[in-house]
Amino acid sequence: DGTEMVWEVEFETRARRDFWAAFTRTSVGEVSSNLASFVQPEREFTLSARLVGSPEAAVGAWLQCLDDGDLGVPMPPPVVVSRGDESRAGYERLILPPGLRERVTRVERTALEYTVLNPAWRTCYPAHTHRGEVAFAPCEDAGGGACTRMVWRVCVRPQRYGRWAVELLTTLIVPAFARNLAARRASDEGREVDAGVEWCWS
């Protein structure tokens, strides 16, 4: 199933008719190809990991890592644009370079959502859209200690020719963030647990 688009262009010119005809074909073709990439189904990245402690503590630690810029990979310290409300919903940060802006859109007791506001080639993340959902649920470790199961889902729609870069960056950054978060929670609680970080694309 799909949609057939018919785009007709008419113009008059007094000179360089072949040039303007070629220019029109190229520009309309580029716009059409970009539109086709925009309406493609989203790619989905799903990661799971175990964290020491309660889901509520894990949510707080996730937000603190974001605020600190402590993601487990070398990145410039973020510039905080907005602190958001009491729950931290609306928290927004700017990463310079490349100028990428991220915003936390929802924070609940055991879940949160965020989005990238300006994904593009110029911000080194060539996607049309990027949104993430992170859910935390109680579980137990092998010794019966209280743990949290984190499931992090990223839905992204890569731009034309951008899929390789989007998948590379997401696969690099999200697991590194998860391992760093697990280490932070273990340090906070004074108890080690196998984070068991696993991920896949679909």
Side-chain angles (χ1 to χ4, degrees):
D1 294 339
T3 299
E4 180 179 355
M5 180 178 70
V6 177
W7 189 335
E8 296 182 357
V9 178
E10 295 181 2
F11 61 89
E12 295 181 3
T13 179
R14 295 181 180 178
R16 299 194 178 106
R17 179 182 180 86
D18 290 343
F19 167 80
W20 290 113
F23 177 84
T24 302
R25 282 194 301 271
T26 299
S27 58
V28 171
E30 284 295 309
V31 172
S32 300
S33 296
N34 290 334
L35 176 60
S37 71
F38 181 80
V39 299
Q40 288 296 310
E42 291 179 319
R43 295 280 293 155
E44 185 171 307
F45 175 89
T46 303
L47 174 145
S48 66
R50 282 187 301 274
L51 311 173
V52 176
S54 69
E56 293 83 358
V59 171
W62 193 99
L63 291 166
Q64 191 60 51
C65 282
L66 190 72
D67 196 24
D68 295 344
D70 187 15
L71 310 185
V73 293
M75 296 182 72
V79 177
V80 177
V81 177
S82 172
R83 289 285 175 187
D85 61 19
E86 185 177 352
S87 74
R88 304 300 293 278
Y91 174 91
E92 184 178 327
R93 69 179 201 155
L94 172 66
I95 302 171
L96 290 173
L100 196 71
R101 297 178 64 178
E102 299 171 320
R103 177 182 293 165
V104 176
T105 55
R106 179 177 68 91
V107 179
E108 297 183 354
R109 190 172 61 88
T110 60
L112 59 89
E113 295 178 358
Y114 70 93
T115 188
V116 175
L117 297 176
N118 60 341
W121 280 103
R122 70 178 181 278
T123 56
C124 299
Y125 194 81
H128 294 291
T129 58
H130 172 116
R131 58 187 177 85
E133 302 172 355
V134 192
F136 303 86
C139 66
E140 293 184 355
D141 64 17
C147 286
T148 293
R149 169 67 63 182
M150 176 178 71
V151 176
W152 187 335
R153 190 165 67 99
V154 175
C155 296
V156 62
R157 186 175 287 111
Q159 291 187 3
R160 189 179 176 202
Y161 307 128
R163 177 172 166 173
W164 67 272
V166 166
E167 293 191 0
L168 175 65
L169 290 168
T170 303
T171 303
L172 171 68
I173 294 171
V174 175
F177 189 133
R179 293 190 186 96
N180 197 59
L181 175 62
R184 177 178 284 207
R185 291 299 301 132
S187 176
D188 290 345
E189 298 286 337
R191 179 165 61 92
E192 294 292 333
V193 66
D194 179 12
V197 177
E198 299 179 346
W199 70 86
C200 68
W201 282 97
S202 60

